[in-house]
Amino acid sequence: MEDKRLSKALAAAGIASRRACEEIIFSGRVKVNGIVVRIPQTLVDWQRDQISVDEAVIGGEQKKLYFMLNKPPGYLCSNVRPGNKRIVLDLFSDQSERLFTVGRLDRDTTGLLIVTNDGHFANRLIHPSSNITKEYVVKVCQEITGEHLETLSQGARVDDKWVRPVFVQKVRRGTFKICVKEGKKHEVRIIAERAQLKISELTRIRIGNLILGSLPEGEYRPLTAREQESFLSQSDQPRPARQSCSKP
Ligand code: URA
């Protein structure tokens, strides 16, 4: 028998990342032995305690699954369905395990998204200290000028923080690449808006060393053992590959 903190136990059971599990606990959705518990540090044991989320009893730790998806536009990164909107997890209807996305892409952003049931893994990747570079290809409605590139590379205020891209490069007339580390909501769109560029398409093509490659839109595949390990020992030097960007 081993006592674990409730938030950690839920993350290991594949409910969500540890941080998201804390929110679920704070909001009163979790019961231990039939009693609502709002303290993530509460010690629990799968053999001794019955733990439920939204009244569904959780079975314990699960086999860990890791996928990369090429997200199509129009799908929300959400574990719950608002109204009858499409969510990314609809694309995993053939999987029986409870999965969730690692971080979020906006509804109309496409490209590389990691989907897992490993809350510790997700937590490590989305934590600000992970320092992982995310690379995007951005199509805009105008011709990109030197002035645009200068403003883009200055970054923008996103929430309470100034986000400065680690790399910006024009690819062709109305397309640029941008690399950011922060992982803040709408960050690329906000940076482009400050440069007065109107985005028509935004696609993530890389997270750390993990490259989207030729995976067709709407499809997913398991991460290889090597790809999973690359996040454990993430040095975050972009591998020389066709889709990765070099440092400025
Ligand atoms: N930045 C954005 O603005 N949107 C995304 O979906 C991802 C990064």
Side-chain angles (χ1 to χ4, degrees):
M1 291 225 280
E2 197 200 340
D3 278 352
K4 265 194 180 156
R5 277 178 291 155
L6 181 57
S7 53
K8 240 180 144 176
L10 289 178
I15 301 303
S17 71
R18 200 165 69 235
R19 270 201 286 172
C21 285
E22 286 176 358
E23 292 305 321
I24 293 171
I25 296 166
F26 289 139
S27 63
R29 292 166 56 195
V30 179
K31 285 184 180 169
V32 178
N33 302 322
I35 295 166
V36 172
V37 171
R38 291 177 191 266
I39 302 170
Q41 294 81 4
T42 305
L43 293 176
V44 292
D45 181 325
W46 288 114
Q47 289 177 22
R48 183 189 62 214
D49 300 313
Q50 189 191 63
I51 304 172
S52 62
V53 179
D54 297 333
E55 305 300 337
V57 174
I58 308 301
E61 297 196 10
Q62 312 205 329
K63 181 178 181 290
K64 302 291 183 275
L65 300 169
Y66 308 89
F67 300 106
M68 71 147 76
L69 167 75
N70 186 350
K71 177 189 173 297
Y75 284 79
L76 293 171
C77 290
S78 168
N79 296 334
V80 285
R81 184 187 307 284
N84 58 0
K85 297 207 165 71
R86 288 179 297 182
I87 59 174
V88 161
L89 298 180
D90 293 339
L91 300 164
F92 289 81
S93 54
D94 53 339
Q95 294 290 328
S96 56
E97 302 288 338
R98 185 175 173 143
L99 299 168
F100 52 88
T101 66
V102 178
R104 287 168 188 233
L105 290 175
D106 297 336
R107 194 194 63 177
D108 288 324
T109 301
T110 56
L112 180 55
L113 190 64
I114 298 174
V115 174
T116 184
N117 62 349
D118 183 344
H120 298 307
F121 177 81
N123 206 48
R124 206 168 37 233
L125 256 66
I126 58 179
H127 196 272
S129 66
S130 72
N131 210 32
I132 295 176
T133 303
K134 275 79 72 178
E135 181 174 349
Y136 298 85
V137 173
V138 191
K139 290 192 180 164
V140 296
C141 304
Q142 304 98 307
E143 163 131 31
I144 298 158
T145 65
E147 204 176 324
H148 286 131
L149 292 174
E150 172 56 29
T151 312
L152 287 170
S153 59
Q154 286 165 4
R157 177 167 293 284
V158 184
D159 303 331
D160 53 343
K161 192 171 182 283
W162 192 269
V163 173
R164 200 181 162 93
V166 291
F167 181 79
V168 178
Q169 185 185 53
K170 180 172 172 176
V171 178
R172 63 186 82 86
R173 211 171 177 273
T175 306
F176 68 92
K177 277 186 179 180
I178 185 166
C179 297
V180 286
K181 290 204 165 198
E182 279 72 5
K184 289 205 166 266
K185 204 171 172 188
H186 306 318
E187 57 189 348
V188 174
R189 293 179 193 277
I190 293 169
I191 291 169
E193 198 173 284
R194 181 170 176 271
Q196 296 182 345
L197 288 168
K198 190 170 160 31
I199 292 183
S200 59
E201 276 176 45
L202 175 57
T203 305
R204 181 156 69 190
I205 59 166
R206 179 171 68 87
I207 303 172
N209 290 326
L210 185 67
I211 293 173
L212 177 63
S214 57
L215 186 66
E217 207 171 82
E219 292 196 14
Y220 69 84
R221 67 158 174 87
L223 293 190
T224 63
R226 187 182 257 204
E227 286 169 338
Q228 290 168 37
E229 281 158 19
S230 81
F231 287 106
L232 300 175
S233 57
Q234 189 63 254
S235 63
D236 202 28
Q237 288 308 310
R239 252 192 343 205
R242 260 182 307 145
Q243 276 187 318
S244 78
C245 66
S246 52
K247 293 275 177 196

